[in-house]
Amino acid sequence: MKSLIKFLKYSAAISATAMLGACCNVDDIRLEESCEIFQFENPNGWQKEVNADLLAEFEAEKAAMLSGEDRGCFFGTAYPYELYGTSKVYADTPKIFSAAVEIYTFTGGAHGNKECKGYNYVIGDGTAKPFALTDMFKDSAGWKAELYRLSIEAIKKKSPDAPFFEGQTPEENQKFISEFAISSDGITLIFPLYSISPYYAGIWKPFIERSKIEGMLSDKGKEIFDAAQ
């Protein structure tokens, strides 16, 4: 059985004393925290490792915020810092686990910041081995360029007026193709904030059907999709 971590701690619940730069002493950092990240119940072996992976960035971000390492341009206690974590599971089978974790932070300024990361594992022999996009595609297939083309096609289909940055070449934008999540019928790519569009456009997560990339898949890639069924 599996569960979703759900807890909420309001600004008064967490405090710390920190030095935020040579001229700014900030007492009582107030942090409003909300975490909804998928976790396996009664984890054992590989499940415990995956649980730790899914929570690692959230906990690291919280530690940085409370220590003052991650600070915004506003100092003092006028605004509580904010830290929100959410997750979505894309595949959960005996052989494949795939999820994405999104973390929002606010430490002052005009707006907060969001990051999203994919966590993808092949399960077997009591272990969970991470796999990357490079494991799924043939070396010489030009797969990255095609994934970018299909991503833009999917984004424009859903949002015809999507505000892409001007002047960036497809080759420059292909470097952002690394984060992803897998499901039985396709792949969801994750383009970070400010990568191909302005902040207000958010994090793009275009879905690409397996049928559109079948010819570029390596044998391992095909096995991974099959195991996600």
Side-chain angles (χ1 to χ4, degrees):
M1 296 293 294
K2 307 163 186 75
S3 66
L4 191 70
I5 285 184
K6 290 185 179 179
F7 58 86
L8 181 63
K9 295 182 180 179
Y10 292 99
S11 57
I14 299 178
S15 66
T17 300
M19 279 283 291
L20 299 188
C23 300
C24 302
N25 290 326
V26 177
D27 295 329
D28 187 29
I29 294 176
R30 295 180 298 150
L31 175 62
E32 185 173 295
E33 173 191 7
S34 173
C35 182
E36 296 182 0
I37 294 177
F38 180 91
Q39 294 278 274
F40 288 92
E41 287 183 348
N42 305 315
N44 186 18
W46 69 266
Q47 295 176 332
K48 186 179 294 185
E49 293 181 16
V50 171
N51 275 2
D53 286 348
L54 294 174
L55 276 177
E57 285 202 40
F58 184 87
E59 295 297 337
E61 188 65 52
K62 180 169 66 174
M65 293 171 78
L66 292 176
S67 69
E69 294 176 14
D70 188 356
R71 59 188 176 90
C73 50
F74 289 129
F75 304 118
T77 58
Y79 301 97
Y81 286 3
E82 297 175 12
L83 173 61
Y84 305 133
T86 58
S87 65
K88 178 179 178 180
V89 176
Y90 288 79
D92 180 19
T93 74
K95 295 182 178 180
I96 295 292
F97 179 77
S98 179
V101 173
E102 187 169 301
I103 296 176
Y104 169 85
T105 59
F106 174 77
T107 56
H111 55 68
N113 192 42
K114 280 185 180 180
E115 293 184 2
C116 189
K117 183 177 179 179
Y119 294 84
N120 304 281
Y121 304 88
V122 173
I123 311 301
D125 299 324
T127 64
K129 296 180 179 180
F131 64 90
L133 281 175
T134 51
D135 298 318
M136 299 191 63
F137 293 91
K138 299 175 183 176
D139 291 339
S140 59
W143 57 270
K144 201 166 253 193
E146 183 62 7
L147 283 185
Y148 176 74
R149 186 190 70 80
L150 290 169
S151 295
I152 299 302
E153 181 182 274
I155 292 171
K156 287 184 175 180
K157 184 177 180 180
K158 186 176 182 180
S159 303
D161 298 322
F164 296 112
F165 284 138
E166 297 181 2
Q168 290 186 182
T169 67
E171 290 74 21
E172 290 172 329
N173 288 334
Q174 288 168 29
K175 67 184 179 183
F176 298 111
I177 297 177
S178 61
E179 297 296 333
F180 71 103
I182 207 80
S183 55
S184 61
D185 53 351
I187 189 168
T188 297
L189 296 177
I190 302 168
F191 286 85
L193 286 177
Y194 298 113
S195 58
I196 59 176
S197 294
Y199 174 88
Y200 72 86
I203 298 174
W204 291 113
K205 300 175 184 176
F207 173 75
I208 302 172
E209 295 88 349
R210 175 180 177 175
S211 59
K212 293 185 177 181
I213 56 176
E214 187 72 29
M216 300 187 296
L217 294 175
S218 62
D219 289 341
K220 182 175 181 178
K222 294 176 182 177
E223 291 176 2
I224 287 172
F225 271 121
D226 291 342
Q229 301 288 333

